[in-house]
Every structure is written in C-alpha cells, then in structure tokens.
Amino acid sequence: MSGSELGGRFFDAAIGLLERVRDEEAEGIAAAGTLIADTVAAEGRLFAFGAGHSSLAAQEIVYRAGGLALMNLLGVPGAVGVDVMPATLGSALERVDGLAGVVLDSSPARAGDLLVIISLSGRNPLPVEMAMNARAKGLKVIGVTSVAYASETKSRHVSGTYLKDHCDIVLDSKIAVGDAELTLDTVPAPFAPTSGIVTSALLQAVMATAAGALADRGIEPPLLRSGNVDGGHEWNARVFEEYADRIFYRQ
C-alpha cells in the first residue's frame, strides 16, 4: 500500500469517528453545552484540564478566537503538553497520587464553577482525583474520555475507578484503546492517532452549543474574536474588561 493510500485511510478513519461522535454523543453534547451555559449565566467560572496530549485539547478551547472567553486552563506544571524535559515526566506525573488535590486547592476554582477534564484513558490518578476533588469542592465536571478503556484496561487509581465514574456528564470520544487507527504488515506497531482531532471537534461542538444556549436566553455569549481581523483587539479588550473577575489567563 502506498503512502498516499495510507493518508486517505487515515482521513476515512477520522471522518468515521467524527460521524460516530456526532450521532452517538448528540445528547451528551447538548447537555454539556447547556451545563456550561447554566454556569456562565449563574456567574460561575469555567476551567479545562488535560495532561500530556490531552492538554492540547484543553488548550484548544482556552483564549480561542471564536471561543468563550471565560474558559481558563487549569494547568499542572510539568503535565501540560510535551514542553518539559524529559517529555516522559508528564506521563509520570499523571500517576502521582494527591497531586490533583494540591492543584485544585491552589487554583481559583470554587463551588459553582465548572471543570472540563480531558483524559483519553481516564485511568490515571491525576484525572480521576481531579474529578473527585472538583466535585467535592462543589464544581460541576464534564469528562471527555474513551469509555472503551474502562472495560479493556485496569485503573491505576487506588479506588479502581475511572474518570467516567466521577463526572456529571461524560462524553465518549469513541477512540479505540491504543489510539492508533492504521496497521500494516510491514510496520510492527499500529500508528496514526485520531484522539486529538476527535476530542477537539467534540469540545468545539460543546462550546458552540453553549454559545447558542446563552443566546437563546437573551445573554450575549462572551466570545473572543481573532486578533488578526480589524477590530478584533478592541472587541476582546471589551470582553476582558467586562468579565475580568472570571478570566485568569490574563493575570
């Protein structure tokens, strides 16, 4: 099989997963968007968390042109993306018991806020305890994960539970265990991950739903505009000023 054919197979796999998520998670997407709109309307704050590559999906909805200005990144030093050396440190930190509680206690998150937690496997202590601690503090939790991991892998948390077990709403990304869509007889390992594409699209669908739900209530969604269009900076400055008490990435 040629390289160009593999490229097409990858697109087919990604499109198939996107269609599955669109159709099978429609109810969850609507519920998650409504819950975010409820939080905004009640003057709550929004946070997103993910570790390793899951953090990239969290960053996709923070300070984003066309996105809600109120979404803040809840970062864990060393576990946000692959910007630390060694890169394997992030994977190790996901397995540290108690880290999530320290991070939450040091953050501005409080009762009445909402936290989106992204974890493909949902099996490591960091995302599990992040959800557990967030709900104990009175936050609503939306989990974005692959539910398949709960039946095909063993939890690494002492409770034996997964992220999906500690959320108000769970969105299933449908990603297969291992996050690799393609195989070849001449390649010893599966390859071509789709979790980034699917998870980001899933979250943007939720954010779009939230914006529409706010508009339906007569509330102007606090959206950001691109700084590369005329008037974008001025628009954003107004939003930043109006919602200064709920935006933490500018402090």
Side-chain angles (χ1 to χ4, degrees):
M1 180 174 293
S2 68
S4 60
E5 290 175 312
L6 284 173
R9 280 181 57 194
F10 175 78
F11 277 111
D12 290 342
I15 291 168
L17 282 165
L18 288 169
E19 290 177 337
R20 277 193 66 196
V21 169
R22 178 197 63 196
D23 297 340
E24 297 175 20
E25 296 301 301
E27 184 176 340
I29 290 169
T34 299
L35 187 57
I36 289 174
D38 291 343
T39 304
V40 173
E43 300 186 357
R45 288 86 62 83
L46 307 175
F47 298 89
F49 164 78
H53 284 91
S54 290
S55 177
L56 301 180
Q59 293 176 57
E60 171 68 12
I61 56 173
V62 175
Y63 185 47
R64 188 70 167 85
L68 290 178
L70 305 190
M71 186 62 74
N72 300 278
L73 186 67
L74 185 63
V76 176
V80 181
V82 290
D83 59 341
V84 296
M85 293 294 289
T88 51
L89 175 62
S91 297
L93 288 174
E94 286 192 74
R95 304 184 189 187
V96 175
D97 294 323
L99 181 56
V102 173
V103 171
L104 271 173
D105 289 344
S106 301
S107 79
R110 65 189 185 192
D113 294 344
L114 180 144
L115 175 60
V116 178
I117 301 177
I118 304 117
S119 175
L120 178 60
S121 72
R123 68 189 295 226
N124 289 311
L126 186 54
V128 172
E129 292 181 1
M130 191 69 76
M132 294 173 70
N133 282 275
R135 295 182 86 187
K137 288 175 69 74
L139 279 77
K140 296 294 186 181
V141 175
I142 296 172
V144 184
T145 187
S146 171
V147 173
Y149 276 83
S151 59
E152 299 181 38
T153 67
K154 182 179 179 181
S155 171
R156 291 182 173 133
H157 189 254
V158 64
S159 68
T161 61
Y162 298 77
L163 169 61
K164 72 175 186 64
D165 299 315
H166 306 284
C167 300
D168 296 282
I169 296 172
V170 176
L171 299 174
D172 184 3
S173 63
K174 317 295 180 182
I175 303 297
V177 173
D179 191 16
E181 290 296 321
L182 302 183
T183 58
L184 268 183
D185 292 341
T186 54
V187 178
F191 56 99
T194 54
S195 62
I197 295 169
V198 174
T199 302
S200 293
L202 180 51
L203 285 168
Q204 291 297 358
V206 170
M207 302 306 284
T209 301
L214 286 167
D216 288 343
R217 304 178 195 188
I219 301 172
E220 180 183 331
L223 297 169
L224 294 173
R225 290 192 172 186
S226 171
N228 295 313
V229 300
D230 293 342
H233 287 300
E234 291 77 14
W235 173 281
N236 293 341
R238 176 184 65 82
V239 174
F240 290 149
E241 181 178 0
E242 183 174 351
Y243 294 94
D245 61 331
R246 290 193 266 173
I247 296 174
F248 302 102
Y249 51 81
R250 299 190 73 240
Q251 297 178 1

